[in-house]
Amino acid sequence: MSPGLTAVLLVATLVAAYAVVHRPLGDYMARVYQSDRHLKVERLIYRALRIDPDADQRWTGYAASVLAFSLVSVLFLYAMQRLQSWLPLSVGMKPVPPDGAFNTAVSFVTNTNWQWYSGESTMSYLTQMAGLTVQNFASAAVGMAVAVALVRGFVRHGTGQLGNFWVDLVRGTLRILLPIAFVAAIVLLAGGVIQNFSDPTTVHTLAGSTQHLPGGAVASQEAIKDLGTNGGGPFNANDAHPFENPTGFTNLLIIFLLTVIPFSLPATFGRMVGNLKQGYAIVAVMGIVWLGFVVACYAAEFAHPGAALQLAGGAMEGKETRFGLSSSPAFAVSTTLTSTGSVNSMHDSYTALGGGVTILAMLLGEVAPGGVGSGLYGLLVLAVVAVFVAGLMVGRTPEYLGKKIRAREMKLVALYILTMPLLVLIGTGLALTLSTGRSSILNPGAHGLSEVLYAFASATNNNGSAFAGLTAGTPFYNVALGLCMLFGRFVPIVFVLALAGSLARQKPVPETAGTLRTNSPLFVGMLTGVTLIVTGLTFFPALALGPLAEGLS
């Protein structure tokens, strides 16, 4: 079977799988977050933490809970890394340096999972299991909780109550992420992913070299890191490593796990607002953008000029031969359009335009389908922009789901949208200006700019993947990228929750003949255009100096 036909069948299989699970999983998640019933194990957790699960929070209380939980998580994970040599299951690992421990703690708590280190040679068993893997669940559940809080802002009226963060966090973890991860881990085991927990073992690798590999329950970690759209993993080769991703079947399953919750959350949104067509409009935008980027990346990798590449059938450098051109671009786009960071090929070795597609995918703001939770609330913010633009064109106050979009809401939306570009462009500019930043660049010229731009886009958008040509494990990059992850995650979350609180306080506005139908194909087109244009206008100069300049040279 030709690589092109294989690619078409892979994408078609993914689309069919998304269509099958979209409604059932979305409806199930809506029931989870709308239920008044607390499970016994949940009540035990609330009692232990002295939380009243029936007490709703205003947006300020909700945001304070998110920030407090995340701050404690960062401090706990930082301390665990610094003290790991004195803790159980250290397997001889030394304490992680302060700048590296800060970067890693922030990375996993913000659902980024950027790794400046090799997992098998830096982190102890305890740090990987009780620290990093726990945050694979918790950070994803935080994003889902924030998305649900924003949806409640559209649903509720005359009140500032958005629900209870602690209840949303516990339910998202226990009722959604854990069960699906458990099933996915079993399927991955059946597909050949290893599950072990033993002393470091020297194993034979390709070309007769050796590598020390920890145990750490690879199948379980693989399931949750993909389901929670977290990158990283115990092996630095990530999903190109045969222990983590041994076959074409596991590769397909991993791509599915990366995106299944983000693609299903629009159904949750439609169910909660009482109009399933609203959810279909949102998922249609996600699907259009995802499919467009997949096609663009395949085209760049298959059609790259050059005698050697033409003989090989495309650009094979940096791609695992087990997957090749038939599945690597789909994986690359799926991982960069979500806050994942998991890779099965080296994006630094992609063609200039193919690499540019992955950079642009992250610069969209992780909305198509985006991270777990963050994709939905990011696209809903852009939906507010689309409604506002439409209102300006017809000269009436914009409305979305029965709520007026006033000056206060637009100020919060503007602050949300401006946060990410400021962090990416300022960080990239500083790295290229300072000698300590430039010294880490492997390739000079346009490709070197792409490496730095990719790193700051990945960190700020909480993606976690790397272009691989940048030596990022330095104090400068550990601190700079750590700050971008921190502010890129929590500053937008505060603005989203403030927007939700402002919407929840409003009285519903009755629909009239002049109300824009936000479940129509016209609105889908408008929202797709806004998503692409906002990014294009903001980052076109940087992309022109990096991947576009390299591709046209």
Side-chain angles (χ1 to χ4, degrees), residues 63-263:
S65 297
V66 170
L67 297 177
F69 174 76
S70 300
L71 175 61
V72 171
S73 298
V74 168
L75 295 175
F76 177 79
L77 191 49
Y78 177 86
M80 180 174 287
Q81 294 174 82
R82 296 289 291 145
L83 300 173
Q84 69 177 6
S85 62
W86 295 282
L87 295 174
L89 302 174
S90 65
V91 292
M93 298 298 178
K94 298 178 180 179
V96 181
D99 58 289
F102 164 74
N103 181 282
T104 302
V106 170
S107 175
F108 278 77
V109 171
T110 58
N111 198 231
T112 308
N113 293 38
W114 170 276
Q115 288 186 217
W116 58 269
Y117 58 90
S118 297
E120 66 271 22
S121 63
T122 306
M123 299 296 175
S124 71
Y125 289 175
L126 185 67
T127 301
Q128 292 200 57
M129 292 189 304
L132 307 185
T133 304
V134 167
Q135 286 305 318
N136 286 164
F137 287 94
S139 60
V142 168
M144 296 168 68
V146 174
V148 169
L150 178 59
V151 175
R152 291 191 185 116
F154 287 108
V155 173
R156 297 182 178 184
H157 50 84
T159 176
Q161 310 295 333
L162 297 179
N164 189 307
F165 166 73
W166 305 105
V167 172
D168 294 337
L169 175 70
V170 171
R171 288 184 177 183
T173 302
L174 297 184
R175 301 194 196 184
I176 300 173
L177 295 174
L178 267 171
I180 302 177
F182 179 82
V183 174
I186 300 299
V187 178
L188 286 170
L189 277 170
V193 178
I194 67 168
Q195 175 87 356
N196 71 333
F197 185 75
S198 60
D199 292 332
T201 304
T202 302
V203 298
H204 192 71
T205 58
L206 295 177
S209 62
T210 57
Q211 181 181 19
H212 287 280
L213 302 177
V218 177
S220 300
Q221 189 169 354
E222 181 67 28
I224 184 55
K225 84 179 181 69
D226 295 321
L227 180 63
T229 58
N230 294 283
F235 308 121
N236 205 38
N238 214 292
D239 280 312
H241 198 294
F243 282 5
E244 291 194 43
N245 188 9
T247 67
F249 167 73
T250 59
N251 191 66
L252 177 65
L253 176 61
I254 288 169
I255 298 175
F256 176 73
L257 291 174
L258 300 179
T259 49
V260 63
I261 290 180
F263 268 131

